[in-house]
Amino acid sequence: DHAVEIGAKFVTHSGDLVDGAFRHNDMYLFLREDCQGSDGQYDRVVEKWPSRPEIMTYFIAGNHDHFFQDRGGIDICRHIDLARDDMVYLKSATIEEALKRNIDPELMKKIVESKRLGSGRIGALRIGPPNIPADKRNTIWMMMHPGNGSAKALSYKSQEIARTLNFLLNSFENMESPQGKRIKPHGIQIGHYHKVDVNVIRNVYIFQAGTMKLSDEFHETKNLDNTMGYWVTELTTKRNGDIERVTPHFYPPFVEKTRYTRTVVQMKE
C-alpha cells in the first residue's frame, strides 16, 4: 500500500524471502505451524507477498532460501517466480534471456548451463524511468546476499564488498555502459546482515537493506544488529546511467502485537 501511495515503480528484495528449515535442530520451534517445510513456506510467499497493479518485485536468493537447496536440491525462489507474474527471480530471468538468443544450439546449451550454476544470491537489474524502453535504461542496480558473519563496524562489510567489486563483476557478461565499456554498478543493495546504512564508496551507492524480521535468539546471543524497516529511494540519473542525485528514506515497520515475544513484567505486590 505504501508503494502505491508514494508512486513507487518497482520493489527490490535482496534475499531471504523464506526462513528455510532443517538447518538447525530446534529451527522448527521458531516457524509457524503451517510453515515447517518448503511447501508451507512457498505457499505463504505466493499467497501473502503483496500484489499491486503495475508494481513488480525483483529479487535474489538468500542463505535461508538456499537451506532447501542445500538439503534437497529445491530452488524455492525459482518456483515462486513461476507462480507469480509480478515477481522476478533474477537468476531465472538471466536464463530466460539467454534462451531467446538465436545462436548455435550447442553454444546455447553451454551458456544456459553456466547460468544455472550461478548461486542466485547475486544479480543485477537495469533500471530507469518507465517512459524509457527497457533496453535503453542504463542505471545498473546490483543486489547481493553474502554468507559470512557480520562485522562490529556498521560500514565495514560495505567497504569490503566495494574493495573486491571487480572480482564479482567477472561473472556478468553485460555489465557495460551504453558504449560497451565495462563498468561498475551504479548502486548495490546488500542483504544478510540485517543492518541499515548507505555509503558512497568508489563512486558506487551502497545500501545495507535492513530486514523485516524480528530479532531472535541468534541475534540476541551474538549481540548482532537487527534493524527492521525498508528503504524508499528516489534516483535522478543521466541518460548514460550515472546517478546525479539520491533521495533515500528509511521507514520502520508496523509490528502487530501478535508478533511480540515478550512482556515487561510487573513486580509482585
Side-chain angles (χ1 to χ4, degrees):
D1 292 337
H2 189 206
V4 173
E5 179 185 334
I6 64 174
K9 306 306 179 187
F10 57 91
V11 173
T12 57
H13 190 291
S14 42
D16 284 352
L17 279 170
V18 301
D19 269 317
F22 316 124
R23 179 55 60 95
H24 310 292
N25 291 335
D26 63 346
M27 197 169 180
Y28 72 96
L29 295 172
F30 304 97
L31 298 174
R32 296 172 185 269
E33 187 174 334
D34 59 347
C35 292
Q36 299 290 326
S38 59
D39 285 350
Q41 294 184 29
Y42 162 84
D43 288 342
R44 186 167 183 85
V45 174
V46 171
E47 294 170 8
K48 297 292 188 179
W49 186 265
S51 178
R52 299 294 184 273
E54 299 182 359
I55 296 182
M56 299 290 292
T57 297
Y58 298 91
F59 68 100
I60 60 173
N63 59 308
H64 283 256
D65 302 314
H66 271 187
F67 286 173
F68 296 119
Q69 183 165 303
D70 295 344
R71 296 293 174 128
I74 301 170
D75 188 346
I76 195 170
C77 293
R78 184 175 72 87
H79 295 286
I80 291 169
D81 174 290
L82 291 171
R84 288 281 298 262
D85 292 337
D86 59 343
M87 298 183 73
V88 177
Y89 179 32
L90 294 190
K91 179 180 177 180
S92 293
T94 62
I95 295 172
E96 291 172 7
E97 190 279 333
L99 290 171
K100 297 175 184 177
R101 302 177 190 179
N102 185 22
I103 59 176
D104 177 74
E106 282 302 311
L107 179 59
M108 169 64 68
K109 183 178 179 181
K110 293 178 180 178
I111 291 174
V112 171
E113 182 181 10
S114 68
K115 293 183 183 296
R116 284 179 175 150
L117 290 173
S119 71
R121 288 169 63 172
I122 182 169
L125 183 68
R126 288 188 179 271
I127 64 176
N131 60 310
I132 297 177
D135 61 349
K136 302 296 183 184
R137 299 173 189 173
N138 295 315
T139 301
I140 298 176
W141 192 261
M142 178 184 283
M143 291 185 284
M144 59 186 305
H145 194 103
N148 54 0
S150 186
K152 293 298 182 182
L154 183 60
S155 65
Y156 180 76
K157 291 297 183 178
S158 298
Q159 296 174 51
E160 285 292 285
I161 288 168
R163 183 179 63 82
T164 59
L165 190 54
N166 288 340
F167 298 107
L168 296 173
L169 302 185
N170 290 335
S171 61
F172 287 90
E173 60 181 342
N174 59 342
M175 186 73 70
E176 299 172 344
S177 69
Q179 294 74 36
K181 180 182 177 182
R182 294 285 290 180
I183 60 172
K184 302 189 296 291
H186 300 91
I188 301 177
Q189 175 181 330
I190 303 171
H192 184 61
Y193 300 119
H194 295 209
K195 293 181 176 180
V196 167
D197 76 334
V198 57
N199 294 277
V200 183
I201 307 172
R202 297 183 63 195
N203 205 32
V204 178
Y205 288 84
I206 303 181
F207 289 76
Q208 292 197 76
T211 182
M212 295 297 285
K213 181 184 185 302
L214 287 168
S215 60
D216 55 27
E217 185 178 358
F218 180 81
H219 301 94
E220 294 159 1
T221 56
K222 296 184 179 298
N223 194 29
L224 296 174
D225 287 281
N226 191 73
T227 306
M228 293 182 65
Y230 58 94
W231 289 101
V232 173
T233 306
E234 183 179 349
L235 303 179
T236 303
T237 62
K238 299 178 182 178
R239 287 188 177 275
N240 66 355
D242 289 348
I243 296 176
E244 284 191 322
R245 185 172 68 249
V246 175
T247 308
H249 299 279
F250 187 77
Y251 291 84
F254 168 76
V255 180
E256 294 181 352
K257 289 185 177 181
T258 55
R259 296 185 65 192
Y260 293 141
T261 58
R262 297 181 178 87
T263 300
V264 179
V265 178
Q266 292 184 355
M267 295 179 67
K268 294 183 178 180
E269 295 293 340

